Amino acid sequence: MHLVTGSCHTADAPPPNATFPNKSKAVNRCSLLRSSPPCGWGLRLVSALLVALFFVGDLVLVALLHRGDMYLDVLADGCAILSWLVHFGALLVLQRSIHRRTRGPSLLLLLVLLPIPNLVVTLLAYAQDTTYLDLAEPLRVARLVLAAARGLPLLVYLLAFAAPCVGEGSYTSMSVNDADSSLLIPESSYQETGAMVAEDGSGCISRLLYLWLNPLLRRGRRGELERPCDVYLLPRRLRTSAVRRHFLRCWEDCQQRAATQRGNTTPRPANMSLQNGTWTSPLQEELSGIAVEVGLLKVLHKAFGLRYYLLGVLKLAGNMLGFAGPLLLSSLVTYMEEEGAPFSRGAWCATGLFFSTLFSALIRNLFVFEVSKVSLSARAALVSSIYGKALRVNGGGLAARFTLGEVVNFMSTDTDRVVNFFNSFHEMWSLPFQFSIALYLLYLQVGVAFLGGLGVALLLVPLNKVLASKIMENNKHMLTHKDSRVKLMTEVLFGIRVIKFYNWEAYFAQKIAACRRQELSHLKAIKYLDALCVYTWGALPVVISIITFVTYVLLGHELTAAKVFTTLALVGMLILPLNSFPWVLNGTLEAKVSLDRIQRFLKLPNQDLDAYFSHVAPEDPQDTIVMSQGTFSWQGPGGPDHPTEGDTGSETESTKGSLLLHSLNLTITKGSLVVVVGKVGCGKSSLLAAITGELNRRAGVVYVQGRENGFGLAAQEPWIQHATVRDNILFGRDYNSSFYQAVVEACALTDDINILPNGDRTEVGENGVNLSGGQKARLALARAVYMEKDIFLLDDPLAAVDTDVAHHLMERCIMGILRSKTRILCTHRIEFVDKADVVILMDNGTIIKTGTPEEVLPLVEAVPKNRKNDSNAKEKDVIEREEEQGPSNELFAEVESSLSGEEQKAVGGLAWKVYHAYWRAVGGALAVSILLSLLLMQASKNVSDWWLSHWISNLKNNGSAQSVLMPAYSSPHMLLFSPGGLMYPVSIMETTPFANMSSEVKFYLTVYGSIAGANTIFTAIRAFLFAYGGIRAASVVHNRLLDTVLKATVTFFDTTPLGRVLNRFSSDLYSVDDTLPFFLNILLANIFGLLGMLVVMSYGLPWVLVPLLPLGLLYHCTQRFYRHTSRDLKRLCSLTLSPVYSHFSETLSGLGTIRASSSASRFEEENERRLEQNQRCLFLSNAAMQWLDIRLQMIGVVVVTGIGVIAVVQHQFKSIDPGLVGLSLSYALSITGLLSGLIFSFTQTEMQLVSVERTEEYSTTLPTEPQHSNPQVPTSWPEQGWVEFRGAVLSYREGLPNALDGVSLVVRPGEKVGVVGRTGSGKSTLFLALFRMVELNQGQILLDGVDTRQVGLAQLRSKLAIIPQDPFMFSGTVRENLDPCGRHPDPQLLEVLEHCHLSPVINRIGGLGAEVGERGKSLSLGQRQLLCLARALLTEANILCIDEATASVDQKTDKLLQQTIREKFQDKTVLTIAHRINTILDSDRVLVMHSGKVVEFDTPADLCQRDDSIFCKLVGGRGE
């Protein structure tokens, strides 16, 4: 020992050049390092040199003495000299390195502390050997003096190490950069953690103690972890791209193996190369012919199995060491009971305790961290696979099987559950293993009597099985209801404007509440069943022990206290595996359910474009698109097996008579303009989908030239990304200034962009919320044009724009910049058809006629038109590309905070108000009761333990005669870790006279049983109260959140991405429902457990308080240092998770555009980038937890060793009670678990409380609409329909130009007013002001003379009817969509549908009870607009507002509708915003808006008489 500790102190010391390769050169270049170092380094150098010199002196003396054992001394001294010289060298190098301003690596301190025990032992040995104190032996005395002198430089060294250093902040700091391992990065404040790679390149000690994490933790403590890029990069093998490639390779191998086994010897090879990043494996492109299904579990097993199973060895080692502690404890207690036992035996026990607990701590910590790495890799693989699959899945199949909400859930909840399985699996085998060992030891203790207790335990297993299956079943149902609630919530947020217009908040609140009630009913079942589980396992130890004792007595044996104590300790060890097993099983079963759900999704058929398109080119090379006898449907392949609930197509119907495109024959030549016309729902959009490959080809042939390059697609419903205007147009392509400007000009976006606060760098909200319909359409068109494809598919881009813009788009874009391309344009605007080379007329899913405009136009009934366009140029001069105010105003504020701003990350600790909010949600009285029951439960447990130790002491005092006998017979193999006794062979027990004990045993057992009984009752009360409290809180939090969000202003929804609000309703609520109560329960149990333990330990061994106080302080500092960073990392995890989900849902809604333009691989890279950021934060969050855990384990090791040492020392002074020592030590052994459990559960609870903080933030700080109502307003108001604007001024947000600028006008009762003006002139803003969606800044709006501000919002909106620009529908039946509140009978609904010309369509899909699919996907856009008109016809309102309601309807239907509106609203006031002038020509008056002002307001006839009239020019533009 002398040799080892004396010389190994620097064996690990870094050799000067090994630790800092090539850094010295860089360091020399750094002028800042030339200033003189702090004096601490000098002192340490001198001390190290002195110690080395003392050893040299000792070596000389040893040589002079020339004793028999001199060679051992020479070896020890030689090693010591060598190591101190190396240490000296290391200090020299460090002093000149970047570490000169720090104390250097803390490892140096450890290495200097190692020789101190060696020095103490040496001095003690010299002191005991009298020759060293004899002055007659000067050489020996000199050795003693030299040895004592060695202490002085060591002390100086330690003081110099502790000396304060110059602040690191003002100096450069070294960082291992990703690209160059020897780069010096100058830093203003500290190491730039964002450029460092986690863990890679760290040494062994650094990895064991997580020293590589220190710079990050320091940065966190200073509050500088604000952005995801501030954290370390992932280790290379955990990078998302590496993991994904590895996973796909494994998938491919599994597929090849499966194919080979099935005789498919030619599995499909991977396409293209791995290098160019567009590698696609069979996972991504399965041939429908030989697609081989591979179990996801198999692939996970192949990808991560080996590494994961090897970790089982660590688990096994940890478990074995876990048993070592209690066995050593047992021998220590035996030693305590023997008077006069040799000191060395006690010392060995204490040393053994130290090493076993130390290694156990290190191994367990390493195991947990390595498992977290594997699960992180699996998460990356799963999320990437789900995303990749979503991009490649067959369109019809996806929509038929899963809703958007479900698919997003696969990526969030289900993936998390599968990843959690990695934590459960090793427990699955290790728990039974622990159980068997404990059983064997129990058998050695009480023989066959243990079977009685075991029988009870085993009886509980089937009960547990039943409970677990019930929990699983409820869990499944709960998830289903959660899915439907999140889906409904998505729809509500998506159509929130319309819901507010129609005043439907209350209806949807009820609908969501109903879903939530169902979800909570299952949650309640789960929580109560859990509570039952907790209770049965809590009560089990007592029942088992008592039954075991009774059996033992009945078998004719005598009970002794020693036996009782040992048995109890063993039963405790039995319970742990039994207790955890149901949870582990539960986690495994949950993972199985989720794995199956993901597997079902991954099994969906892929879009197989090779099989879809024909490869045989037509004879004429000019033919770009050829279809012959094509039959297409939206339904997934296999018809009935794939029931279609709603479809992705715009022009499709549900399964009952789903729209089939049939007998399509079509040839399109290169560079031609083909216009497709036909009435609403005839299959125009479906034809385009058939060309891009989104449909299923049932028969016929499709050939598209150069389809690999993709298409330029402008979909009917523009899909806009949550990005800047420029990024939306570039769509991943490089910026080419001249071409970009040409595209912007051609798409009439120049003026729109000029007014935006940041030009084209202005961010657009999610789904383009802050753009008008026309702007969205033009932005989508610009994106398509910028793609520079050969074929352009334009689905009605002219519908949402006004006449002059439509002409501009036609001239400059479709006939201009695209003139040499092949263009297919679907439109209802007949005036442009004559420009076409070919016109296709469709009806009912087939092509009726193909020919020139002259041949086809007569078949399309429309207003006769004189198709001259001369006045276009004049008209442009009149309306000089005026400013768009409405929408651009909305854009201003978006930009002020970088649009909706990064999601705010709360800073610092959780405010008390968060704890208070949760306390209130649980309910004060209930919370107090829970705490009280916990206190009583813990107290009764501790009292029962104390009672046993009291019993032991009494036995010892009463039976001193036996106590001498006992140890003599104890067998070393039978040592047991009982807290107060050990095990004796049964035969001895029987022969020892214990006759007088039976009544006493009975007394002790009775008292013990009573205390234990009380304990089980308190346990039950606590379990059920807690379950009830958790459910109550979940319910309160959700209701408050929902209530506030539904009342929030429209402005809030325009500036907040949908995903951010949804996150509150999905993952944050899941935390509040499930995870938070789980961790809070553990936390409270830990707090009370720790308090109980400290009380018992202090009572048993008061001396323990001496080391406990400094350790407590250390514990406090460590956890504070950790918690800052941990909290920030957790918040960053939440913050980086939202973009992953919102990007995924954005991708799902834009699948058609992404696939048509062949951009799938770019989107996969973007997903990978976002996922990588999230994984970085998660990995470091896990590492930080282990950093803390290892330090707490060390504190635990010190406590256990400390108690052992105190006990051994006190035994020497004969002042100790073995019973109490046993009790204290048995408690101390579990202190590490408790301490780390306490911090882990505290941190986890704090992390989960972040969810409460986030929901609370919405519940308390959202801007809400005023909720008052005015009882004075009569129910029949407004009877006449008189509308008056008086000087109305409105700007969307402060400091922005006015969207309405002093509008004054009067609309008389029953008048029909048409509103025209360029996009953004404030037309839609008039309606928003009328409905008070945005409040006026000044002026007033009067209805029948009543100021609208005096009326409650619900009163006002229920009295007005509107047909909004975006036809909003939610999934449900036609009946629910028409009349959600159920106020009208079916015959009335059918009549309204008849008036709107929807009857045939509705009958075809199955009548009023037919499902319309998610967001009304079963109906085309035009049909949805008609349904919205039907809604308006149902309201008995006297004032109707129509906002471009018939933009997507063909001319013929439009004419019929205008007639319906005229008849139905004959005596009502109607305001119509229109793009087609003919829809408002028969209005009583026309209002022309410009820049938020009223420019003209008169009858159409009068305005047409005036030469300077803008309206007159607009009409002239039509040539009428």
Side-chain angles (χ1 to χ4, degrees), residues 797-811:
L798 308 175
V801 295
D802 22 42
T803 317
D804 64 320
V805 177
H807 279 293
H808 178 97
L809 292 178
M810 198 68 201
E811 295 292 324

Side-chain angles (χ1 to χ4, degrees), residues 121 174 180 255 356 442 551 555 592 661 668 731 928 942 1060 1161 1193 1425:
V121 170
M174 185 177 283
D180 171 13
Q255 249 184 345
S356 67
L442 194 59
T551 318
L555 286 174
K592 173 86 178 75
L661 292 184
I668 295 175
F731 203 55
V928 171
N942 292 136
R1060 195 176 294 176
S1161 55
Q1193 296 272 15
Q1425 279 190 326

Side-chain angles (χ1 to χ4, degrees), residues 672-936:
S672 59
L673 169 59
V674 178
V675 174
V676 184
V677 291
K679 67 175 203 294
V680 171
C682 65
K684 298 185 295 296
S685 298
S686 297
L687 175 67
L688 298 188
I691 293 172
T692 58
E694 287 294 310
L695 268 62
N696 288 301
R697 181 172 60 81
R698 295 288 179 84
V701 177
V702 193
Y703 170 78
V704 176
Q705 195 177 29
R707 66 159 179 87
E708 298 80 10
N709 304 329
F711 307 86
L713 172 68
Q716 187 174 18
E717 289 181 76
W719 172 68
I720 307 294
Q721 283 187 280
H722 182 44
T724 63
V725 173
R726 176 181 288 192
D727 289 340
N728 263 294
I729 296 175
L730 296 180
F731 203 55
R733 289 173 60 91
D734 292 335
Y735 177 68
N736 172 345
S737 173
S738 54
F739 183 58
Y740 177 80
Q741 291 307 330
V743 170
V744 168
E745 206 285 319
C747 295
L749 281 168
T750 315
D751 297 321
D752 302 82
I753 287 175
N754 288 343
I755 319 161
L756 298 181
N758 287 359
D760 61 3
R761 304 277 180 169
T762 308
E763 262 199 71
V764 180
E766 211 170 0
N767 299 315
V769 285
N770 46 344
L771 298 178
S772 70
Q775 286 171 320
K776 281 197 262 191
R778 284 176 290 144
L779 190 57
L781 180 64
R783 176 178 59 208
V785 174
Y786 194 83
M787 287 180 197
E788 290 193 275
K789 306 290 186 190
D790 294 326
I791 301 172
F792 286 86
L793 308 175
L794 311 174
D795 196 351
D796 215 357
L798 308 175
V801 295
D802 22 42
T803 317
D804 64 320
V805 177
H807 279 293
H808 178 97
L809 292 178
M810 198 68 201
E811 295 292 324
R812 299 289 186 84
C813 180
I814 299 171
M815 304 296 294
I817 202 167
L818 299 178
R819 60 183 168 274
S820 59
K821 309 285 188 183
T822 310
R823 294 141 295 166
I824 302 179
L825 171 68
C826 298
T827 187
H828 290 300
R829 291 202 139 165
I830 305 300
E831 63 261 41
F832 298 120
V833 173
D834 60 331
K835 306 259 174 63
D837 301 315
V838 180
V839 181
I840 295 171
L841 176 61
M842 292 190 71
D843 189 29
N844 216 357
T846 190
I847 295 174
I848 305 176
K849 175 106 176 108
T850 307
T852 62
E854 286 71 24
E855 293 167 5
V856 179
L857 268 178
L859 301 173
V860 185
E861 188 195 325
V863 195
K865 293 232 184 308
N866 164 14
R867 287 183 292 278
K868 281 197 340 232
N869 227 3
D870 314 332
S871 55
N872 236 16
K874 281 184 293 179
E875 172 196 321
K876 293 256 171 57
D877 301 334
V878 182
I879 303 185
E880 290 206 358
R881 288 290 175 219
E882 49 173 84
E883 300 189 345
E884 280 205 16
Q885 255 137 31
S888 64
N889 287 344
E890 296 187 30
L891 278 162
F892 267 122
E894 300 278 327
V895 180
E896 289 170 346
S897 56
S898 149
L899 183 75
S900 40
E902 294 288 314
E903 182 165 358
Q904 290 307 306
K905 170 175 91 74
V907 182
L910 281 172
W912 272 108
K913 64 167 192 270
V914 179
Y915 295 97
H916 186 229
Y918 194 70
W919 176 277
R920 278 204 326 272
V922 173
L926 183 60
V928 171
S929 319
I930 291 171
L931 293 179
L932 194 65
S933 61
L934 256 165
L935 182 69
L936 291 170

Side-chain angles (χ1 to χ4, degrees), residues 145 250 415 487 504 590 637 713 755 988 1002 1229 1272 1463:
V145 171
C250 295
T415 302
K487 174 184 156 192
W504 281 346
E590 274 184 0
L713 172 68
I755 319 161
I988 295 165
K1002 207 172 289 175
L1229 272 180
Q1272 269 90 49
E1463 288 167 10

